[in-house]
Amino acid sequence: MGACLGACSLLSCASCLCGSAPCILCGCCPSSRNSTISRLIFTFFLFLGVLVSLIMLSPGVESQLHKLPWVCDEGPGSTIILQSHIDCGSLLGHRAVYRMCFATAAFFFLFTLLMIYVRSSQDPRAAFQNGFWFFKFLIFVGITVGAFYIPDGSFSDIWFYFGVVGSFLFILIQLVLLIDFAHSWNQQWLGKAEECDSRAWYAGLFFFTFLFYSLSIVAVALLFVYYTEPDACYEGKVFISLNLTLCICISIISVLPKVQDAQPNSGLLQASAVTLYTMFVTWLALSNVPDQKCNPHLLTYLDNETILAGPEGYVTQWWDAPSIVGLIVFILCTLFISVRSSNHRQVNSLMRTEECPPILEGAQEHQVAGQAFDNEQDGVTYSYSFFHFCLVLASLHIMMTLTNWYRPGETQKMVSTWTAVWVKICASWAGLLLYLWTLVAPLLLPSRDFS
């Protein structure tokens, strides 16, 4: 009897997977907006790809990857000559991550193209966006299986450059999401302060602004201590000093009277959050510097021996502190992409989303009934195509994070390169310029409607 009930429950939930919209007529899913459920499930697909990539990096799985056609061949009639402690399994694990992330990116890029110019849930393509999850899962699995049978050749080398560009853009998207979060936070607490006529909300904003700036100052001090030397590491000194100077400048600009008149909700909370994030990206960049004197992460342990980094090589692994923190930030940002709704006009313009739409009365009735409801009959609340493009960039970014920016063909060892350093530093500069633009755009283009 229990087995029959369990089978019935599974069949009822299966109707959600094959329906034309997610769970609108199915009570097995939580009450929520149609658009939110769809984004969360697509994000689950991304996290599933990340999980498989992590499994591919485990030693037990790496040993089985020798059976696949791309094995350790570098070209026709040639094989990788392994040096010292580097084995073929390490290379295979990284290349497997390349293929898994290629499959994930290809899956979302397919939907990027399919969902161009979808305006409302009345569009026939919206049914495929918001439903048929079982069939989409089969497509995802099929692309993944096919990716693992791509001959190596120049695939890894070319895909590396796609990863570099995608990771650069996703770092910028992370900053835009941070600006949006800080703006919404600041706006909500200021509204509470005016509504309740309480200074506690102002004190809370001041506390977190002070906390973020304090953490930024501590981060700068630690970066100078651990990533620079008195007579060396000049690049690191320049990067830290320049980013600190730029953060001070945008903090001053954010509280200028003209900027405050144009954007009353702009303030030091957003600037402090951007400053802290910039120091975080600077830390990620310096953790990839291929110089042992300037990078404490270039120490690793193998067979109870310490191996120093240098031109002769060292083993680098993704689970060092910067990579783990970067993975956590990545997870939080992708989840925020899935559930966000914003009132920040410039951010909505950049992220291709609309301001928080009102919920129709009919939709509210569905919500009370405990079912997912369609809130996009009159217009989509986010760009389907741009959402999938963000997940494409997320796939590329996590690929570079898990492989520690290993560049296939450049060396037979898992070593950091200056490519990773410059990409992250340039992303931090571009992010600061982007935040500066959100501050001064209404002043420079007063006749333009940024909504």
Side-chain angles (χ1 to χ4, degrees), residues 50-59 62 90 93-94 97 284 287-288 297 300 314-328 330-331 397-406 414 416 424:
V50 174
L51 178 61
V52 173
S53 297
L54 293 174
I55 295 174
M56 291 298 175
L57 291 174
S58 62
E62 286 176 342
S90 297
H94 284 65
V97 172
L284 294 182
S287 66
N288 284 112
H297 297 286
T300 189
Y314 71 98
V315 179
T316 183
Q317 297 170 330
W318 76 267
W319 50 83
D320 57 2
S323 297
I324 292 176
V325 176
L327 180 62
I328 294 174
F330 164 82
I331 293 174
H397 176 71
I398 197 62
M399 178 185 76
M400 303 307 291
T401 299
L402 294 181
T403 59
N404 220 332
W405 292 74
Y406 160 63
M414 306 299 153
S416 294
K424 294 176 182 179

Side-chain angles (χ1 to χ4, degrees), residues 175 177-191 201-214 216 247 250-255 260 263-277 435 439:
L175 179 63
L177 294 174
L178 180 65
I179 296 172
D180 180 31
F181 176 75
H183 173 86
S184 302
W185 182 6
N186 186 68
Q187 185 180 40
Q188 184 177 10
W189 281 27
L190 286 177
W201 297 102
Y202 293 110
L205 290 175
F206 173 79
F207 170 78
F208 282 102
T209 301
F210 178 78
L211 176 64
F212 291 160
Y213 275 124
S214 299
S216 301
C247 289
I250 64 167
S251 297
I252 295 174
I253 293 174
S254 67
V255 293
Q260 289 290 305
Q263 299 193 65
N265 290 320
S266 175
L268 288 178
L269 179 64
Q270 295 94 315
S272 64
V274 171
T275 299
L276 183 59
Y277 180 76
Y435 175 61
L439 294 176

Side-chain angles (χ1 to χ4, degrees), residues 370-450:
Q371 300 173 348
F373 58 93
D374 185 3
N375 64 319
E376 298 180 311
Q377 293 181 356
D378 296 328
V380 296
T381 58
Y382 66 100
S383 169
Y384 290 176
S385 184
F386 186 77
F387 168 73
H388 290 294
F389 182 68
C390 288
L391 296 186
V392 171
L393 300 181
S395 302
L396 297 173
H397 176 71
I398 197 62
M399 178 185 76
M400 303 307 291
T401 299
L402 294 181
T403 59
N404 220 332
W405 292 74
Y406 160 63
R407 181 175 179 177
E410 180 180 85
T411 177
Q412 311 304 339
K413 304 177 180 63
M414 306 299 153
V415 296
S416 294
T417 65
W418 279 104
T419 303
V421 179
W422 280 107
V423 167
K424 294 176 182 179
I425 287 295
C426 290
S428 69
W429 295 340
L432 290 171
L433 290 175
L434 190 62
Y435 175 61
L436 179 63
W437 173 252
T438 64
L439 294 176
V440 303
L443 299 177
L444 298 179
L445 301 172
S447 60
R448 181 175 176 181
D449 183 9
F450 285 90

